[in-house]
């Protein structure tokens, strides 16, 4: 996703170093420090995991074991087989005369502690061995073999009765280190369809030289790190791809997540902000206690939860050469920072007896006070947030002058950042246009309307719509998406709104108003703000976003076709890109590696020889559909095999990335690795996660389903495409590109994606016809600036984009046929994935655009359910 641009543009400046016996010094230092960081982090988290009961036995189980041993000894039983008496005999004579039973109790405590520790270690070892099993990856969808069912039963037995978010954390296996020969062979296979024969032969020669000369030494050092550190990739990935990047975060690193597809549950901006902040802070409390169920992959494999620890109270602090992530405890972060029309506020989220979380109605009252405050922003602070969108070195120099500012401490120490903004477009804009404007506003804003360093920016618009802008260094999209889906479900279906659109509850007349932050901006900082603002506005203007709700079919249709849903979309994207640009390109598809400890992502390369053969067949009108379908099956099988390899730690790009870093540390220049680093990702793709489908009911209430998010393009002449399966009958695409590029157009590419999806679906003969736009064998891209390309909006024939039976065909609020006044909520009978704190089995309200009177649509309290 957005990481593709960071990975393609990072630069490593280490100097040339000294050849000779000191070659290994820098590399060994980097490997050693990585291992020390891993062990320090593990030891710091061990105490918290024990107190939370996430080991999988907590401190309470140890106390119970001690009480059981003491009780058994009281009734003249010795479960220790004499060990307690032996320990007692070897203990010093501490207070034996005054407290005769003290030594016996101490000996029992020592025995209980040792037995408890041995049991926990045994559980961890057994779980770690069980979690190494990879057979579940090759299981056909919907069926489980006997070995996999047995494995799953054993995992559930050894993980305890109620596993929590961090139960499996210390038992996850480490990311395996692939062989260099296997990685190089897979890399050459991935670039073969993109290179002429002469270039491929030259690259193959470089690869052979690399395997014989540099690879053994580089792999040896990398193997040492894989043995010494918890993950041989993730710390270097965070350090060199994100924290050492000096480019702007705006549109290049940060990404966005939208709320519902075409509805807002209330038109009141303050009310929506109150419910959202309350739900997010409540999620933070449950996260701190580790009470949530662990995330799993396909409901089978537990995933690493390390990224959740930095979700809140985290800021990226700029530096001249490298940034750092600063995280504070929840007890020091009982507020959110708010930006409205250039003014900054500190809004306390806790108060009253015991410092409890304020109610949504009181939070709404505080937000309304900010909206009603007539005081204008001072010129020195109005555009101050643009500095966070500046190149990192410039922002670091300016921040050094602001370091003594109390306002800066409030912003960086906040749980998260809240942006109150006007609606990005006119209120009578078409839903399609409004979605595009919302997406672009969330991604880039106005250039000075986001504090991009904060881990989370909650953006609430005047019409009640909202979304997130997320900083990328601390986590990948599945983690904030997990939180966001829970917040949306709690916002609408649990907390709800009164008949007049306000949060439920009563205002507090004694609640203190938010504190206006006063900035004292030095002259050198004031001089840097206009420069940063000009660059940020240029970046914002140069970013184009398009949201395409594809409502013709979804995951249910791909299941009928017996094709992996992600493979179906990726092959359609290859076909769409060929029709848009007239050729193939290196394609980036993000795939998670969180099945391993501290795993983040790996790259799948969907542009394969099989996919290229399928696309050429689709463009050849002479070939029958049967032959095209056979090529589709082969390409889909290849894509699925690549995904399995990436999920199991056998990918290509992260291994080559680490080999490149080691070659620079030594230094040991490698022409082959330099060639790999020079690649450009013209098409960057990612599937938005849907971790909690049981929270929503997309079949009956398509308006109230999280529609995913998007990111900027990885290349200035390329596209960024994110997609999310919304239930069984819809796929939503988020497309981005650069306006300044003469080769790209987000709306035109969206039309090509829609046509490609329909043309691929028509091969199966299941009732979905081909597109009415570009047909197989049709013309490829035309320059958008020449007047011959598809305009941004209608198709080349001047007709609107083809509409399926999806959200844009629904009647407007209060219009004829709207079910909102008569249809109540219903529960979703199925669904899988970890439950949200909003409770299982929650579904969305009735379909149709937004009606903010949810008095009759709010759900009953969540019902209890047994864990998965």
């Amino acid at each position: 996703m957005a990481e593709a641009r960071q990975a393609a543009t990072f630069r490593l400046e280490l100097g040339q170093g000294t050849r000779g016996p000191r070659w290994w010094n820098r590399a060994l230092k980097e490997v050693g420090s990585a291992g020390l960081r891993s062990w320090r982090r593990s030891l710091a988290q061990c105490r918290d995991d024990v107190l939370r009961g996430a080991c999988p036995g907590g401190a309470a189980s140890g106390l119970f074991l001690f009480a059981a041993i003491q009780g058994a000894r009281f009734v003249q039983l010795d479960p220790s087989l004499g060990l307690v008496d032996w320990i007692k005999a070897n203990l010093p004579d501490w207070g034996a005369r005054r407290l005769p039973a003290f030594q016996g109790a101490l000996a029992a405590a020592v025995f209980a502690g040792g037995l408890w520790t041995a049991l926990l270690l045994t559980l961890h070892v057994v779980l770690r061995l069980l979690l190494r099993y990879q057979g579940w990856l090759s299981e056909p969808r919907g069926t489980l073999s006997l070995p996999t069912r047995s494995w799953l039963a054993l995992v559930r037995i050894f993980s305890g009765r109620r596993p929590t978010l961090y139960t499996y954390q210390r038992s996850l296996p480490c990311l395996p280190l692939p062989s260099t020969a296997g990685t190089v062979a897979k890399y050459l296979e991935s670039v073969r369809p993109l290179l002429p024969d002469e270039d491929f032969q030259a690259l193959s020669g470089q690869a052979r030289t690399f395997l014989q000369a540099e690879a053994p030494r580089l792999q040896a050092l990398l193997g040492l790190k894989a043995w010494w550190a918890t993950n041989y990739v993730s710390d270097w990935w965070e350090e060199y791809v994100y924290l050492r990047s000096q480019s702007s975060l705006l549109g290049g690193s940060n990404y966005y997540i939208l709320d519902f597809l075409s509805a807002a549950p209330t038109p009141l901006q303050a009310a929506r902000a109150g419910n959202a902040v309350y739900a997010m802070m409540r999620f933070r409390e449950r996260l701190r206690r580790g009470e949530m169920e662990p995330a799993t992959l396909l409901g089978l494999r537990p995933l690493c939860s390390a990224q959740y620890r930095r979700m809140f109270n985290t800021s990226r602090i700029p530096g001249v050469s490298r940034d750092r992530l600063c995280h504070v405890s929840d007890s020091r972060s009982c507020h959110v920072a708010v930006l409205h029309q250039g003014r900054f506020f500190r809004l306390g989220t806790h108060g009253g007896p015991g410092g409890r979380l304020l109610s949504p109605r009181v939070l709404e009252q505080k937000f309304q006070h900010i909206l009603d405050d007539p005081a204008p922003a001072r010129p020195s602070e109005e555009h101050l947030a643009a500095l966070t969108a500046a190149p990192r070195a410039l922002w670091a120099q300016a921040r050094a002058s602001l370091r003594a500012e109390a306002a800066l401490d409030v912003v960086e120490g906040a749980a998260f950042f809240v942006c109150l903004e006007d609606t990005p477009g006119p209120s009578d804009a078409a839903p399609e246009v409004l979605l595009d404007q919302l997406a672009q506003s969330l991604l880039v804003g106005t250039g000075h309307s986001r504090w991009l360093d904060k881990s989370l920016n909650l953006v609430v618009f005047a019409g009640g719509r909202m979304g997130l802008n997320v900083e990328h260094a601390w986590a990948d999209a599945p983690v904030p998406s997990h939180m966001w889906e829970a917040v949306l479900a709690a916002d609408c279906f649990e907390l709800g709104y009164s008949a007049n659109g306000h949060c439920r509850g009563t205002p507090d007349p004694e609640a203190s108003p938010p504190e206006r932050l006063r900035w004292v901006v030095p002259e050198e900082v004031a001089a840097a703000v206009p420069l940063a603002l000009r660059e940020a506005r240029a970046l914002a203007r140069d970013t184009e976003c398009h949201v395409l709700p594809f409502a013709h079919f979804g995951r249910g249709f791909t299941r009928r076709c017996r094709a992996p849903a992600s493979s179906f979309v990726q092959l359609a994207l290859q076909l769409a890109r060929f029709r848009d640009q007239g050729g193939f390109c290196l394609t980036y598809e993000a795939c998670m590696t969180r099945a391993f400890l501290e795993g983040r992502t790996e790259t799948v390369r969907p542009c394969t020889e099989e996919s290229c053969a399928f696309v050429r067949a689709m463009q050849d009108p002479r070939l029958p559909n049967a032959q095209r379908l056979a090529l589709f099956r082969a390409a889909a099988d290849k894509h699925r095999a690549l995904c399995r390899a990436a999920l199991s730690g056998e990918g290509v790009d992260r291994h080559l990335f680490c080999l490149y870093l080691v070659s620079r540390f030594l230094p040991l220049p490698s022409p082959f690795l330099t060639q790999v680093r020079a690649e450009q990702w013209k098409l960057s793709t990612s599937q938005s996660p849907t971790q909690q489908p049981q929270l929503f009911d997309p079949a009956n209430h398509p308006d109230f389903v999280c529609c995913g998010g998007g990111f900027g393009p990885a290349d200035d002449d390329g596209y960024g495409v994110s997609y999310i399966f919304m239930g069984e009958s819809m796929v939503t695409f988020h497309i981005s590109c650069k306006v300044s590029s003469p080769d790209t157009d987000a709306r035109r590419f969206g039309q090509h994606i829609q046509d490609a999806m329909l043309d691929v679906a028509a091969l199966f003969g299941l009732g979905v016809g081909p597109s009415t736009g570009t047909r197989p064998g049709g013309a490829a891209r035309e320059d958008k600036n020449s007047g011959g390309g598809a305009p941004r909006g209608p198709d080349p024939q001047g007709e609107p984009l083809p509409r399926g039976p999806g959200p844009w065909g629904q009647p407007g609020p209060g219009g004829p046929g709207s079910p909102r006044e008569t249809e109540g909520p219903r529960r979703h009978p199925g669904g899988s994935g970890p439950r949200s704190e909003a409770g299982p089995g929650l579904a969305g309200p009735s379909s149709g655009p937004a009606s903010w009177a949810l008095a009759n649509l709010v759900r009953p309290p969540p019902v209890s359910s047994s864990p998965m």
Side-chain angles (χ1 to χ4, degrees), residues 34-50:
L36 291 176
R37 285 195 303 267
S38 297
W39 284 103
R40 281 199 302 264
R41 188 165 55 248
S42 297
L43 292 175
Q45 294 169 359
C46 182
R47 178 176 64 94
D48 294 338
D49 291 344
V50 171

Side-chain angles (χ1 to χ4, degrees), residues 568 571-572 575 614 618 632 755-764:
F568 188 102
L571 291 174
L575 178 58
F614 165 71
M618 291 295 292
F632 172 88
D755 292 342
M757 291 283 287
L758 292 172
D759 289 341
V760 174
L763 299 178
F764 295 89

Side-chain angles (χ1 to χ4, degrees), residues 37 88 141-142 207 302 329 475 524 710 824:
R37 285 195 303 267
K88 179 180 178 181
R141 184 175 294 273
S329 63
E524 59 271 22

Side-chain angles (χ1 to χ4, degrees), residues 775-787:
R775 303 297 297 273
R781 169 189 63 84
E782 295 181 9
D783 193 332
K784 70 183 178 185
N785 293 327
S786 67

Side-chain angles (χ1 to χ4, degrees), residues 104-398:
L106 182 60
V110 171
F111 174 75
L115 180 60
W116 180 71
T117 303
L119 289 174
L120 288 187
L121 290 176
T122 302
L123 287 175
H124 279 304
V125 171
V126 173
L127 269 177
R128 176 161 291 199
L129 292 175
L130 286 172
L131 294 180
R132 292 178 182 273
Y133 175 71
Q134 300 289 338
W136 59 275
L137 278 172
S138 16
E139 296 285 351
R141 184 175 294 273
T143 60
L144 294 179
S145 64
L146 180 60
T148 300
R149 288 201 302 269
S150 303
W151 164 78
L152 187 59
L154 288 173
V155 169
R156 289 174 175 172
I157 290 173
F158 283 95
S159 58
R161 191 164 57 94
R162 290 186 177 179
T164 61
L165 184 63
Y166 301 109
T167 291
Y168 302 99
Q169 194 61 24
R170 313 187 71 79
S171 301
L172 292 172
C174 295
L175 184 69
L177 179 65
S179 67
T180 51
T183 296
V184 170
K186 292 176 184 176
Y187 170 77
L188 292 176
E189 182 184 9
S190 71
V191 299
R192 182 63 188 94
L194 305 174
L195 296 176
D197 292 341
E198 315 83 60
D199 294 344
F200 182 75
Q201 293 301 325
L203 183 63
S204 299
Q206 289 182 345
R208 286 191 294 270
T209 303
F210 167 75
L211 289 174
Q212 295 169 2
E214 302 98 12
R217 188 176 300 174
L218 303 182
Q219 182 77 350
L221 275 172
L222 203 54
L224 179 62
K225 187 191 178 189
W227 172 81
W228 174 240
T230 54
N231 191 295
Y232 80 91
V233 175
S234 293
D235 58 336
W236 284 354
W237 185 256
E238 179 180 301
E239 173 80 10
Y240 294 103
V241 170
Y242 294 116
L243 299 183
R244 287 184 182 266
S245 172
Q246 291 298 301
S247 58
S248 172
L249 303 183
L250 189 70
S253 177
N254 287 29
Y255 54 94
Y256 72 89
I257 309 176
L258 267 169
D259 60 344
F260 299 124
L261 185 62
S262 60
T266 176
L268 302 182
Q269 186 177 18
R272 193 83 198 276
N275 261 7
V277 169
Y278 179 86
M280 291 176 70
M281 295 299 287
R282 190 179 61 174
F283 188 95
R284 187 184 76 163
E285 291 180 0
R286 298 200 64 189
L287 192 62
R288 176 178 57 83
R289 297 192 294 265
E291 293 178 350
M292 297 174 296
E293 292 183 7
T296 59
L297 186 62
L298 302 177
L300 299 173
R301 181 65 161 76
L303 301 177
C304 178
S305 301
Q307 298 178 36
Y308 286 86
R309 301 181 190 270
R310 298 185 295 184
M311 182 179 295
F312 297 97
N313 326 332
T314 300
S315 284
R316 178 168 170 171
I317 308 300
V320 175
S321 60
R322 69 175 295 273
D323 295 353
R324 60 186 176 89
L325 292 176
C326 178
H327 176 78
V328 300
S329 63
D330 289 0
S331 59
R332 294 174 53 193
S333 184
C334 297
H335 68 279
V336 296
V338 184
L339 176 63
H340 176 244
Q341 295 182 350
R343 305 169 302 165
F344 292 80
F345 296 85
R346 181 192 185 278
L347 190 149
T349 56
H350 292 70
R356 298 194 310 181
L357 179 61
L358 298 177
S359 69
R361 187 66 181 89
V362 176
L363 292 173
E364 177 193 350
Q365 179 183 346
K366 289 174 174 283
F367 279 112
Q368 192 61 50
H369 186 279
I370 294 175
L371 294 173
D372 295 339
D373 188 347
R378 292 187 297 174
S380 59
E381 67 180 6
E382 183 177 6
H383 301 134
L384 192 64
L387 290 171
T388 65
R392 304 306 290 174
L394 174 62
W395 171 214
Q397 295 170 0

Side-chain angles (χ1 to χ4, degrees), residues 12 121 224 255 285 302 442 486 628 681 702 721 827:
L12 185 60
L121 290 176
L224 179 62
Y255 54 94
E285 291 180 0
L442 286 173
R628 293 170 179 163
W681 305 95
V721 181
R827 292 190 177 275

Side-chain angles (χ1 to χ4, degrees), residues 66-90:
F66 168 71
I69 293 173
Q70 279 289 81
R73 288 177 57 82
F74 182 76
V75 296
Q76 305 301 318
L77 296 176
D78 187 8
S80 68
L81 303 178
L83 284 177
V84 172
D85 292 332
W86 181 83
I87 295 172
K88 179 180 178 181
N90 288 275

